[in-house]
Amino acid sequence: MFCLRAMPYRCSIVLALLLAAVPAFCQTAAPAAPPAAPELRVFDPALVDKTIDPCDNFYRYSCNGWFKRNPLPADQTSYGRFTELYELNRLHLKQILEESSTPAATRTANEQKIGDEYASCMDTASVNKLGIAPLKPELDRIAALRTAGDLPALLAHLHAIGVNAFFRMGANQDFADSSSMISFYDAAGLGLPERDYYTRTDAKSVEQRQQYVAHVHRIFALAGETDMQAAKDADTVLAIETRLAKASLTITEQRDPQNLNHPTDVRSLQKELTHFALADYVAAAGAPAVGKANNSEPKFLAEFNTLVADTPIDQVRTYLRWHLLHAYSGTSMPESFDLETWNFYSHTLNGAEKQQDRWKRCTSRIDREMGEALGQVYVARYFPPSAKQHALDMTLAIEQAMDKDISSLDWMSAETKVKAKEKLHTVMNKIGYPDKWRDYSKLVIMRGDALGNQRRVHEFNQARDLAKIGKPVDKGEWMMTPPTVNAYYDPQMNNVNFPAGYFQPPFFSDKEDDAANYGDMGSTVGHELTHGFDDEGRQYDKDGNLKNWWTKEDEEKFTQRADCMVKQYDAIEAVPGVHLKGKLTLGENLADLGGLWLAWIAWLDKAHAANVDMAALTDGYTPEQRFWIAYAQQWCTQTRPEQLRSQAQGDPHAPDEYRTNTVLQDLPEFAKSFSCKKTDKMVIATACRIW
Ligand SMILES: [Zn+2]
């Protein structure tokens, strides 16, 4: 799925799905007054810095006021308008959780679960006192591994409890037939963010690997190993992970679904895995007996097979022990583990200066674990039906704009246009929250057992996920929770998803006019819709099947135009020595440019129909100027250099400065609204354009 922004957790492992309606427990608790909210505006003239020429650097012009008011907090690696709203939502969630955590006979089943899980997570004293004892049974299981023959059952168990070792098996829509759910075998098993961290040879990357080994070393030592043993084991972990990394596709290669499309069946896969009894693994995992499968990265599984054969079993145990400790070294484990993990991942890799307060991390944890139980109350309190209607109206207007735009394209043939429009009008719009809430009745949450709760949540989610194999696809499923400040397009579902948490100021407001709302939220709606037609999304047909519907000639013309953007972003040096990756960010860059263009033509149509006076000034700006400023102001963000580096290397989204300036440089309509001259920096000679 394609997110508007990188997620604080991996998109692919987000919880989801809804089986049956649960009692509306929100009705039993009297909504308390929401915490005082700062006034956030979609178009905010007070944030504009008039000392800067808009034609020189529009991002600075639109955001400097915001930068001055919002120094980067010590506990954040980047802080922008998305974080501003995210933190506000988190305060709202905290209030709900605190209310639910007070034991009372009147609590509903869901309130008991989210409330007791929050209380367990907040109970640092108990977590510290228990030490790593709650993890002992799992460590013992790993210690009992004697031969490669025992590995399948052990690995199935570890995967069920959330341990990211070796590969990942889960349910996904078949590439060839999006209506059927089959098992997918994906590459996994790395402790660093992605495979290139293991292969880059520049000085900074070499240093980061040394720091990683030191981190693994310290975690092993905290778990009771001698210093010498911990050092040796950390080296073993890096060696095994490096082998896995080298056999994995790069994140850019993973963007092309053709690279991941390798249909097979469990029996054939078993034949290839000569040293790993896949049938035993599948049986132990409790996956339904459906033969059809997809081997996303054949080279990776082949290397895993070889690795099982030639790696001494004590080294396999070491690797598994690390991934178990790593999976649980957060709020479920003593503070020493928690802090060490923060120190490497947030501080060393991304520059945070202070760990986030525990309540913040516990609130986010419950949102990840039981987001629809928590989200149900959130929606009842903070997402009025009118917001849903506004969102729907805007989505339909942008869809119409895209229809009109497709008609006007001079490079696309009539034949492809028909197919493109078919796909466009099949897109399902999902807004706010699921129609049917997810059923958590089988999940057991016990107060005072933070680690056990984490384990049971993983088991519950894994069981739910595997149960999908062989069942009809549930198109009502959400991959983001309702309070999330983000949005996504799912190419296999062919739907766009806008969580309730996002449809509010500073991104959308009933109190502001269309110029502001279309420049901001409208561009996001357009962004998500455009994903269905970006270099990746365009490979899927209207039903979500990976099936080419383009004529050869149109495909070439599209690629030519897209290449213009690859070059444009490749040329950007985000931090000294690190350029953006044009191909990695292509889908998002296409969506940014296409999305803003669609919002612009949708808004112009609306403004003309309403006879808006385009010369009238509000706060000193024309409607057109406010449209562009509202667009830019959604991206105001302060980012630490370490985070900027990580982002440039591995995030498919360009940094926010370029999501503003580079996108606007490609739209001459922007330059016209501010009367920019040919020699100005915001005007470039050869703009890229697709839509
Ligand atoms: Zn996107």
Side-chain angles (χ1 to χ4, degrees):
M1 74 193 207
F2 313 141
C3 315
L4 177 70
R5 293 181 73 75
M7 306 279 289
Y9 43 93
R10 290 177 62 117
C11 296
S12 52
I13 53 163
V14 173
L15 342 158
L17 201 67
L18 357 125
L19 293 172
V22 289
F25 70 94
C26 44
Q27 287 160 12
T28 62
E39 227 240 299
L40 300 175
R41 292 184 58 180
V42 181
F43 162 75
D44 193 342
L47 304 183
V48 175
D49 184 345
K50 290 188 172 171
T51 66
I52 293 173
D53 179 356
C55 298
D56 183 61
N57 187 332
F58 195 65
Y59 183 61
R60 294 276 144 200
Y61 169 80
S62 304
C63 290
N64 242 10
W66 189 89
F67 295 149
K68 282 178 192 154
R69 289 180 193 190
N70 294 278
L72 188 45
D75 68 347
Q76 306 279 355
T77 56
S78 75
Y79 189 79
R81 308 223 81 194
F82 282 78
T83 348
E84 208 172 17
L85 180 55
Y86 176 69
E87 291 296 349
L88 178 66
N89 286 353
R90 195 146 63 167
L91 273 175
H92 291 158
L93 297 179
K94 177 188 180 219
Q95 189 181 28
I96 294 167
L97 289 168
E98 283 176 347
E99 286 166 19
S100 303
S101 67
T102 309
T106 51
R107 284 196 301 177
T108 62
N110 271 354
E111 282 173 316
Q112 178 272 322
K113 286 181 174 67
I114 59 171
D116 285 352
E117 174 66 322
Y118 184 69
S120 309
C121 181
M122 288 299 289
D123 187 359
T124 319
S126 293
V127 170
N128 283 339
K129 203 170 141 206
L130 288 168
I132 67 163
L135 208 55
K136 180 87 176 20
E138 306 302 341
L139 288 164
D140 288 348
R141 274 183 195 248
I142 294 172
L145 179 74
R146 287 284 162 266
T147 67
D150 301 332
L151 185 59
L154 176 62
L155 203 53
H157 172 74
L158 292 173
H159 286 169
I161 65 168
V163 177
N164 175 40
F166 292 123
F167 63 86
R168 182 170 41 239
M169 191 268 278
N172 203 351
Q173 285 165 275
D174 188 346
F175 279 124
D177 172 14
S178 71
S179 69
S180 80
M181 295 296 280
I182 60 170
S183 54
F184 265 54
Y185 289 81
D186 299 327
L190 307 180
L192 281 165
E194 43 96 3
R195 61 95 73 194
D196 284 354
Y197 278 79
Y198 295 86
T199 56
R200 277 192 290 259
T201 51
D202 62 282
K204 183 73 189 168
S205 301
V206 171
E207 187 194 0
Q208 283 176 333
R209 279 198 291 281
Q210 285 162 354
Q211 289 165 324
Y212 176 59
V213 170
H215 164 63
V216 178
H217 175 161
R218 284 193 291 271
I219 289 282
F220 276 136
L222 285 171
E225 293 189 10
T226 63
D227 195 55
M228 201 195 276
Q229 187 65 40
K232 187 170 162 256
D233 286 352
D235 287 339
T236 298
V237 167
L238 183 71
I240 292 181
E241 290 185 357
T242 303
R243 274 183 75 176
L244 296 174
K246 284 183 175 163
S248 306
L249 294 177
T250 65
I251 45 177
T252 303
E253 288 163 342
Q254 283 176 348
R255 281 197 63 245
D256 186 346
Q258 299 296 353
N259 290 337
L260 304 173
N261 180 23
H262 306 286
T264 181
D265 58 75
V266 175
R267 202 169 292 170
S268 311
L269 255 188
Q270 175 64 89
K271 274 187 201 147
E272 288 168 37
L273 296 176
T274 46
H275 302 291
F276 183 78
L278 190 69
D280 291 356
Y281 171 84
V282 172
V290 172
K292 214 168 171 197
N294 186 67
N295 180 5
S296 304
E297 299 191 27
K299 195 178 146 206
F300 177 87
L301 269 197
E303 178 64 13
F304 163 68
N305 185 49
T306 314
L307 194 148
V308 171
D310 69 17
T311 307
I313 201 73
D314 66 311
Q315 293 187 11
V316 175
R317 284 197 299 265
T318 296
Y319 168 80
L320 295 176
R321 197 162 64 248
W322 152 246
H323 276 282
L324 171 70
L325 290 164
H326 176 56
Y328 282 83
S329 286
T331 44
S332 297
M333 290 272 271
E335 277 173 302
S336 49
F337 286 86
D338 187 23
L339 204 60
E340 173 55 39
T341 300
W342 169 83
N343 184 54
F344 178 68
Y345 289 97
S346 297
H347 172 65
T348 304
L349 289 188
N350 290 300
E353 286 167 359
K354 173 182 168 283
Q355 194 178 29
Q356 293 197 345
D357 287 344
R358 193 151 180 115
W359 74 262
K360 288 189 178 183
R361 294 182 296 126
C362 288
T363 302
S364 295
R365 170 173 168 169
I366 319 303
D367 183 38
R368 278 197 306 276
E369 292 181 338
M370 287 174 273
E372 291 197 12
L374 180 56
Q376 199 174 353
V377 195
Y378 173 83
V379 161
R381 290 191 191 177
Y382 300 107
F383 193 61
S386 63
K388 192 162 177 162
Q389 191 53 49
H390 277 131
L392 202 60
D393 292 345
M394 183 178 267
T395 317
L396 294 175
I398 306 273
E399 206 175 293
Q400 232 173 10
M402 189 159 208
D403 183 291
K404 190 175 144 185
D405 188 59
I406 290 170
S407 298
S408 73
L409 294 175
D410 57 6
W411 58 269
M412 190 186 271
S413 71
E415 197 183 337
T416 305
K417 280 182 182 177
V418 170
K419 294 272 169 56
K421 285 190 182 186
E422 252 174 36
K423 178 168 182 179
L424 171 69
H425 295 300
T426 315
V427 174
M428 189 164 99
N429 299 312
K430 280 160 65 191
I431 290 159
Y433 52 91
D435 290 337
K436 270 200 318 188
W437 293 99
R438 184 165 162 182
D439 178 7
Y440 292 97
S441 55
K442 286 191 180 145
L443 172 62
V444 176
I445 295 292
M446 286 157 64
R447 208 176 177 98
D449 187 14
L451 192 136
N453 289 341
Q454 186 183 341
R455 195 188 66 235
R456 285 185 291 273
V457 164
H458 282 300
E459 284 170 332
F460 171 81
N461 284 320
Q462 168 90 341
R464 268 184 77 260
D465 185 54
L466 295 184
K468 293 179 201 169
I469 296 170
K471 298 262 171 59
V473 172
D474 180 356
K475 292 207 165 184
E477 179 176 7
W478 280 73
M479 304 303 282
M480 282 180 184
T481 67
T484 306
V485 185
N486 208 335
Y488 71 95
Y489 170 79
D490 186 324
Q492 287 182 285
M493 294 278 189
N494 195 21
N495 62 21
V496 288
N497 302 262
F498 301 100
Y502 188 21
F503 251 96
Q504 50 186 321
F507 302 107
F508 180 86
S509 167
D510 280 351
K511 293 184 197 146
E512 297 189 46
D513 70 355
D514 284 337
N517 283 323
Y518 273 74
D520 191 328
M521 184 56 78
S523 68
T524 294
V525 172
H527 172 106
E528 299 308 337
L529 215 51
T530 307
H531 269 316
F533 305 87
D534 71 20
D535 61 317
E536 192 175 346
R538 73 170 190 83
Q539 299 187 49
Y540 296 85
D541 70 8
K542 69 176 175 56
D543 299 316
N545 298 319
L546 189 57
K547 202 170 147 195
N548 193 5
W549 48 271
W550 295 64
T551 65
K552 204 167 175 304
E553 201 175 301
D554 288 336
E555 201 167 23
E556 275 164 17
K557 285 181 185 162
F558 176 92
T559 307
Q560 242 171 34
R561 284 164 182 263
D563 282 346
C564 170
M565 291 185 80
V566 173
K567 286 194 196 93
Q568 191 175 26
Y569 284 81
D570 268 340
I572 296 171
E573 191 174 14
V575 286
V578 182
H579 281 245
L580 295 185
K581 295 174 177 166
K583 278 212 164 104
L584 174 65
T585 55
L586 179 59
E588 296 301 334
N589 298 334
L590 285 165
D592 280 345
L593 179 58
L596 181 55
W597 170 246
L598 295 180
W600 170 254
I601 55 177
W603 170 68
L604 279 185
D605 275 356
K606 229 171 161 234
H608 289 145
N611 284 321
V612 169
D613 178 358
M614 289 300 197
L617 298 183
T618 308
D619 298 312
Y621 303 94
T622 65
E624 288 188 4
Q625 290 172 334
R626 289 188 299 110
F627 174 95
W628 302 116
I629 294 172
Y631 172 73
Q633 286 184 339
Q634 70 180 303
W635 302 119
C636 304
T637 306
Q638 316 246 39
T639 308
R640 294 188 191 282
E642 295 88 344
Q643 159 86 19
L644 200 56
R645 184 185 183 87
S646 306
Q647 198 181 345
Q649 286 173 332
D651 190 336
H653 305 86
D656 295 314
E657 181 179 347
Y658 311 108
R659 296 188 80 168
T660 310
N661 285 350
T662 312
V663 170
L664 291 173
Q665 282 172 334
D666 283 335
L667 290 171
E669 291 77 4
F670 155 78
K672 221 172 124 203
S673 301
F674 284 90
S675 308
C676 299
K677 299 183 297 289
K678 268 187 183 167
T679 47
D680 288 327
K681 277 198 190 134
M682 289 301 300
V683 180
I684 53 174
T686 42
C688 303
R689 196 64 173 267
I690 311 255
W691 305 105

